[in-house]
Amino acid sequence: MTATRSLEQETMVTLQELCVNGGLDDSSESTHRVEQTTTPPPPSLDGVEAIIGYEFNNKRLLEEAFTHASLGESFSNERLEYVGDSVLNLLFTKQQYFEYPDLSPGVLTRLRAANVDSDKLARVAVKHDLHRFLRHKKPLLEEQIRQFSEEIRRYPLHSNGLVEVPKALADLVESIIGAVFIDCNSSIDIVWKVFKELLEPVIRLETLKIHPVTQLYEMCQKRNLKVQFVDLWKENTSFDVLVDDQFVGRGSCRDKKEIAINRAARNALDNFWKLFP
């Protein structure tokens, strides 16, 4: 377990160093453009309760959960998102503790993380059409959702960092969870009953995949090989991967460095055995 934690820490430090000039969320100019308020109004929130199978006592919470900060109202779903994030982590912590009585905390943590990250939650919003009800002034979001919906077809369960995720979708799901939690007087059991099926398919131990960067480091560590990520972001929004100074892979992403790094690691893994049999 100590070795696993050390490797995970090394991976995180590497990612932080690679993105130190701009952070993992660095974006191209398309992300920084001023968005015009041309998004059509969303449908009535009446359909949300039918989708999630829960009727709100306080409809104000429902409205708040679907109000993005970009709308410029006096309230937004950011506070409910904060609540929902904590509740969701607790829900999976409880569920996995009893489902896997012999699993170590390290593996439980990775399993929980896979089920509560942006990729997994954004899929929930798309699968159940919850994004249609989001009130916002982010016209670029619609195109991002369309691209996301297409790209995840290649990764039915989880992309492990290879797909650009519209964060607003994941935030929305957390906000709805937070709204239900507050509305039902903080009953964890009621929240789990409402969202258990909505969150399916849940990633379980047998379907849990290793993150490509972590997997690459593990493979190279076992063979005493040195891994190096070459930052070409400013030149062509890409990263190269060298193993023992030999080129093994490349990945690119127009908007986010982190995804370019992950794609580079994935490409290196695909080529690894050809170069290091």
Side-chain angles (χ1 to χ4, degrees):
M1 180 174 172
T2 302
T4 300
R5 183 182 294 116
S6 176
L7 181 59
E8 290 175 345
Q9 292 174 342
E10 178 184 350
T11 300
M12 292 305 299
V13 169
T14 300
L15 288 173
Q16 292 169 358
E17 290 175 347
L18 287 169
C19 300
V20 68
N21 291 328
L24 295 180
D25 291 328
D26 275 5
S27 304
S28 67
E29 61 181 13
S30 64
T31 305
H32 295 292
R33 294 199 292 265
V34 176
E35 299 175 348
Q36 301 301 315
T37 58
T38 58
T39 305
S44 168
L45 294 175
D46 293 342
V48 173
E49 292 174 318
I51 292 174
I52 69 175
Y54 178 85
E55 184 174 351
F56 280 84
N57 298 303
N58 183 354
K59 305 296 183 181
R60 173 76 173 184
L61 287 169
L62 178 61
E63 181 182 2
E64 183 177 334
F66 282 83
T67 301
H68 192 270
S70 65
L71 201 60
E73 298 289 343
S74 59
F75 62 94
S76 74
N77 61 10
E78 292 178 338
R79 284 170 54 84
L80 288 176
E81 173 202 338
Y82 163 77
V83 174
D85 174 68
S86 298
V87 171
L88 186 61
N89 275 274
L90 177 58
L91 288 172
F92 273 102
T93 298
K94 177 182 177 182
Q95 185 268 333
Q96 291 170 354
Y97 176 82
F98 290 105
E99 183 175 355
Y100 301 105
D102 300 321
L103 213 56
S104 70
V107 180
L108 285 171
T109 298
R110 291 197 294 271
L111 189 58
R112 180 183 62 193
N115 280 291
V116 303
D117 71 2
S118 295
D119 184 302
K120 192 68 177 66
L121 296 183
R123 291 166 185 261
V124 174
V126 170
K127 178 181 179 181
H128 299 286
D129 286 329
L130 292 169
H131 61 284
R132 296 189 302 110
F133 300 88
L134 181 62
R135 305 178 176 203
H136 65 91
K137 288 186 178 179
K138 293 176 64 67
L140 291 180
L141 180 59
E142 305 305 322
E143 176 60 19
Q144 292 168 354
I145 293 173
R146 186 193 66 77
Q147 292 179 0
F148 174 73
S149 300
E150 290 182 357
E151 290 180 358
I152 60 176
R153 294 175 184 173
R154 293 180 293 163
Y155 312 98
L157 192 59
H158 200 289
S159 77
N160 282 291
L162 300 176
V163 168
E164 293 187 61
V165 180
K167 185 176 180 296
L169 295 187
D171 294 345
L172 174 61
V173 174
E174 290 179 336
S175 300
I176 303 170
I177 291 173
V180 172
F181 177 74
I182 298 298
D183 191 70
C184 70
N185 295 319
S186 309
S187 172
I188 292 295
D189 292 336
I190 291 177
V191 177
W192 183 243
K193 182 179 180 180
V194 171
F195 287 95
K196 183 178 181 179
E197 292 187 7
L198 292 172
L199 293 169
E200 289 287 351
V202 170
I203 297 174
R204 292 182 164 79
L205 184 60
E206 58 272 19
T207 57
L208 178 65
K209 303 293 184 181
I210 302 177
H211 191 281
V213 175
T214 301
Q215 187 177 0
L216 179 63
Y217 271 104
E218 287 182 347
M219 289 178 61
C220 292
Q221 187 180 65
K222 290 178 182 178
R223 299 165 66 93
N224 294 317
L225 300 173
K226 181 184 70 173
V227 180
Q228 180 184 359
F229 284 83
V230 181
D231 189 346
L232 302 174
W233 181 259
K234 291 184 179 180
E235 290 81 359
N236 54 21
T237 66
S238 69
F239 279 79
D240 283 355
V241 178
L242 306 180
V243 174
D244 270 11
D245 298 322
Q246 184 174 351
F247 174 81
V248 292
R250 174 174 294 166
S252 63
C253 178
R254 184 183 64 183
D255 294 329
K256 292 188 177 181
K257 279 188 175 184
E258 181 183 16
I259 295 176
I261 294 168
N262 297 338
R263 289 175 177 174
R266 180 70 265 170
N267 187 236
L269 288 167
D270 292 339
N271 297 327
F272 187 86
W273 296 113
K274 303 173 187 176
L275 302 170
F276 299 93

